Every structure is written in C-alpha cells, then in structure tokens.
C-alpha cells in the first residue's frame, strides 16, 4: 500500500533558560520590552506531523511519499528522511521562505515563551496531487495532516476528484479553522482521526451529531490518551482498545503521529482494524518513552513482546512477520 503523507514539516528549537522569566519582567515597564535570555541548552528536533508520520512509516519499510513545502534549509532534514526510507521527491522547496519552525524557551519554573513561524508551509497549497503521482507513482491512500488550511482543503478535494481514498487528520489545526472549512475536510474520508478534544470541537463547530459524522466517513478513530483509542463505524457499536502501559512518560510530543504510523503500517499489511489500533498504541507509547518525535528505533523483538504482554500472544505473533525486516 503506497501512502502519501501531506502535512506540516517543521523543525523545533527547544531552549532551556536556567532562570525565571518573571524576574526579568518589570511590572511598570511592560510598555517597552527588550529582553534577552541566556540559554544553557538547545535541542533541535525534526518534527511537523508529516515529517513524523513519514519517518515512522519509512522506518517500518513502507516507503511513504512525503508531501509538503519547505525552504532551502531543508537539505539536512531531507537526508535524514531519505535515510529512513521516505520518498521526499515530491516535497516542494520554496524560493523565498524558510522551513516552518517552532522556537520555544522554557524557564526553570516551566513557564514558556514560544513562537511558530509557518514560512514555506503556506506553499503546500501549490502542490498538485496529480504531479505527486507523476513523480512518485500510483497512490493507494493520502493522509491529509495538519498544515496550511487552504492546502488541506485543496488536497482533500483533489482526492475526491481522483477517487483516491484519504484520511482526514486535521488534529490541532481544527481549532484555527472556520466551521465551513472543517466541513470540507470530512465528507468521503475513508478514515477520520481526532483526539477527544478535537472530536468535541468537530461536533461543536459543524453542528453535526456523531451519526452525521459517521454517515460521511468509513471509520472514525478517536485517541483517548492513556485510556487508549476508540473506533466507530456507522453500522457497529464503538470498540475501545486500551493503551500499552508506558514504562516512563518522557516526552508526549508526536504520540498522536506515532499512533497513525502503527495504525497505517498494520492496515497496509492487511491486518484487522483492531490489530492496527493495537500496533498504533504500541508506537504511541514508544514515542512517549522517547525524547523527541523521530528518535525511536524499530526493535522487532521488543515490539512483539510488548504486543503479546499488552494484547495477548496472538497479537505479537500476527505482527512478527512484518517486523523482522523493519
Ligand atoms: N499516558 C499514556 N500512557 C500510554 N499510552 C498513552 C498515554 N497517553 C497517550 N497514549 C497513547 O497515545 C495515543 C494518542 O494519545 P492522545 O489521545 O493523547 O493523542 P493526541 O492528543 O493527538 O496527542 P498529540 O499531543 O501527539 O497531538 C493514545 O491512543 C494512546 O495509545
Ligand atoms: Mg494530536
């Protein structure tokens, strides 16, 4: 199964300030702020939802096609993704803007000052899926992840026109979108992904009932944090799959993306929905236990053991043949 992953591609610059921001903010001088914090740690992490998801699918041997827009500064990130089995040929490189970046400084009391520069991401809307197919070959599924809202809508419409199955995965971007925009992303989706908060927001913004949503999509998958994941279709009762217990919770960045990786890898191996949800939960927990969204490795033996412990021997045994080459 050839999957194209559209969505944000970004680099996170995470800085740690050993003092307290509030010590430097003078209450009666807030009209003119000019502050500089001396940082003692900088972590640079490759991220963006499409970057994260394609990294995982590539690492599992699925050769995903990454679709998104970046700047001329993308070379190092591209080399990393190429090394991990991602087809990056269809990535659009902007002539004028840098790759999106998230700059965040955290102080000793966990207060944060952050900025997000979307940069080249707005050029995602210039990418035509027909050109992606010309370059990368036929596609079986397009995941429409969070990115430039206009680009998300256009890619969804192109999927419908081309008769290409697609997954609606707007995640946090729904908070910034108008109801009319959100409503364009859902109809006809083979899969719809939300977390619980986004599920509520979807109903609130569109005025749809759960049944209205289910009438428009194949499968609706809602992640429930530590409580696992629920999946619903119009003809059956909802099913909940528990999460894989985490040994330690190190960094939640990218757990939702990792869930999609496991889910779609198992779907492409023709495993059942329930098995795919279990593998999604395992990948999510793996990322929760790792610092950074793209720093985990595929450890076939450990994966099989953990699936067996969490969901029974059969679960591990069914996934084993696909993991040994990963
Ligand atoms: N504390 C936890 N322990 C074990 N697994 C967890 C925990 N929190 C989340 N997960 C796993 O991660 C999946 C996705 O979690 P969640 O619903 O929080 O996604 P999200 O809100 O989209 O996350 P993101 O911050 O990446 O956007 C869950 O379905 C579950 O499998
Ligand atoms: Mg999410």
């Amino acid at each position: 199964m050839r999957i194209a992953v559209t969505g944000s591609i970004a680099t996170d610059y995470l800085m740690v300030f050993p003092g307290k921001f509030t010590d430097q903010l003078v209450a009666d001088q807030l009209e003119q702020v000019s502050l500089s914090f001396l940082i003692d740690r900088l972590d640079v992490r490759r991220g963006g939802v499409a970057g994260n998801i394609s990294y995982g699918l590539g690492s599992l041997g699925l050769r995903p096609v990454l679709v998104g827009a970046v700047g001329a500064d993308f070379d190092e990130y591209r080399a990393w993704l190429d090394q991990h089995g991602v087809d990056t040929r269809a990535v659009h490189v902007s002539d004028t803007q840098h790759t999106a970046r998230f700059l965040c400084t955290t102080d000793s009391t966990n207060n944060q000052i952050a900025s997000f520069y979307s940069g080249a991401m707005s050029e995602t809307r210039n990418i035509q899926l027909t050109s992606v197919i010309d370059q990368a070959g036929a596609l079986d599924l397009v995941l429409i992840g969070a990115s430039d809202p206009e680009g998300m809508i256009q890619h969804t419409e192109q999927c419908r026109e081309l008769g290409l199955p697609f997954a609606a995965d707007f995640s946090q971007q729904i908070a910034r979108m108008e109801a009319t925009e959100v409503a364009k992303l859902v109809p006809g989706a083979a899969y719809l992904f939300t977390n619980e908060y986004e599920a509520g927001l979807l109903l609130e913004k569109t005025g749809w009932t759960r049944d209205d949503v289910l009438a428009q999509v194949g499968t609706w998958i809602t992640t429930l944090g530590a409580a696992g994941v629920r999946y619903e279709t119009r003809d059956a009762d909802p099913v909940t799959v528990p999460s894989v217990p985490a040994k330690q919770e190190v960094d939640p960045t990218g757990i939702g993306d990792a869930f999609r990786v496991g889910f779609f890898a198992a779907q492409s191996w023709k495993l059942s929905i329930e098995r795919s949800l279990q593998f999604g939960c395992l990948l999510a927990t793996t990322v929760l236990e790792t610092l950074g969204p793209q720093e985990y490795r595929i450890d076939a033996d450990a994966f099989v053991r953990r699936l067996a412990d969490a969901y029974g021997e059969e679960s591990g045994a069914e996934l084993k043949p696909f993991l040994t080459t990963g």
Side-chain angles (χ1 to χ4, degrees):
M1 181 162 142
R2 201 81 200 283
I3 303 176
V5 182
T6 78
S8 59
I9 301 171
T11 310
D12 297 346
Y13 292 77
L14 309 174
M15 292 157 278
V16 177
F17 172 55
K20 286 159 92 179
F21 294 140
T22 47
D23 287 347
Q24 301 205 20
L25 292 166
V26 182
D28 57 1
Q29 285 178 25
L30 293 176
E31 300 275 304
Q32 271 193 325
V33 177
S34 173
L35 294 173
S36 170
F37 302 105
L38 188 62
I39 299 307
D40 70 355
R41 217 179 89 201
L42 167 66
D43 287 323
V44 181
R45 306 225 175 275
R46 300 170 193 93
V49 298
N52 293 343
I53 296 172
S54 63
Y55 165 83
L57 292 174
S59 299
L60 286 164
L62 283 137
R63 192 96 189 115
V65 179
L66 175 61
V67 179
V70 299
D73 55 341
F74 183 62
D75 288 358
E76 211 182 312
Y77 195 164
R78 184 196 295 275
W80 165 264
L81 292 173
D82 286 343
Q83 249 172 41
H84 289 92
V86 179
D87 183 341
T88 61
R89 286 172 299 174
V91 171
H92 167 77
V93 182
S94 168
D95 290 329
T96 53
Q97 303 188 84
H98 298 290
T99 305
R101 64 191 62 176
F102 177 64
L103 303 152
C104 182
T105 308
T106 305
D107 77 359
S108 59
T109 59
N110 270 337
N111 281 339
Q112 293 188 324
I113 297 180
S115 320
F116 182 70
Y117 163 77
S118 58
M121 203 171 87
S122 61
E123 296 182 25
T124 307
R125 66 184 70 172
N126 301 339
I127 304 171
Q128 298 292 322
L129 290 180
T130 45
S131 324
V132 173
I133 294 166
D134 286 346
Q135 246 172 334
L139 301 173
D140 301 301
L141 182 86
V142 181
L143 183 146
I144 315 269
S147 128
D148 164 50
E150 185 52 37
M152 294 165 72
I153 292 169
Q154 286 188 19
H155 289 147
T156 305
E157 279 164 2
Q158 288 167 22
C159 284
R160 291 190 191 107
E161 281 158 23
L162 296 167
L164 264 175
F166 66 95
D169 186 17
F170 42 72
S171 56
Q172 69 280 1
Q173 202 61 294
I174 187 183
R176 294 183 205 108
M177 296 177 85
E178 301 291 330
T180 49
E181 294 179 310
V182 178
K184 289 181 186 161
L185 299 174
V186 175
Y191 307 90
L192 167 65
F193 286 90
T194 54
N195 63 20
E196 263 195 312
Y197 172 73
E198 293 149 5
L201 213 52
L202 174 64
L203 300 182
E204 192 185 301
K205 284 205 175 201
T206 57
W208 292 335
T209 63
R210 303 196 80 80
D211 284 344
D212 293 337
V213 175
L214 288 170
Q216 302 180 68
V217 304
T219 305
W220 183 5
I221 293 164
T222 304
T223 57
L224 312 170
V229 55
R230 177 177 67 230
Y231 97 90
E232 294 165 87
T233 56
R234 75 197 70 129
D235 321 306
D237 290 333
V239 175
T240 299
V241 169
S243 67
V244 174
K247 291 182 212 140
Q248 67 234 11
E249 297 185 15
V250 175
D251 174 15
T253 315
I255 51 176
D257 300 335
F259 174 82
R260 278 110 176 120
V261 169
F263 177 80
F264 280 116
Q267 284 284 283
S268 81
W269 297 326
K270 306 262 181 287
L271 300 180
S272 67
I273 288 261
E274 199 169 346
R275 203 61 87 213
S276 304
L277 296 171
Q278 293 173 350
F279 193 46
C281 287
L282 174 65
L283 269 278
T285 295
T286 303
V287 166
L288 181 59
E289 292 170 346
T290 312
L291 193 58
Q294 296 182 33
E295 306 305 320
Y296 64 101
R297 299 289 174 269
I298 308 301
D299 180 341
D301 293 339
F303 278 11
V304 170
R305 208 167 44 243
R306 288 191 85 175
L307 284 166
D309 288 347
Y311 303 113
E313 291 298 329
E314 216 180 306
S315 180
E318 260 187 46
L319 276 143
K320 193 171 182 206
F322 303 102
L323 293 174
T324 43
T325 52

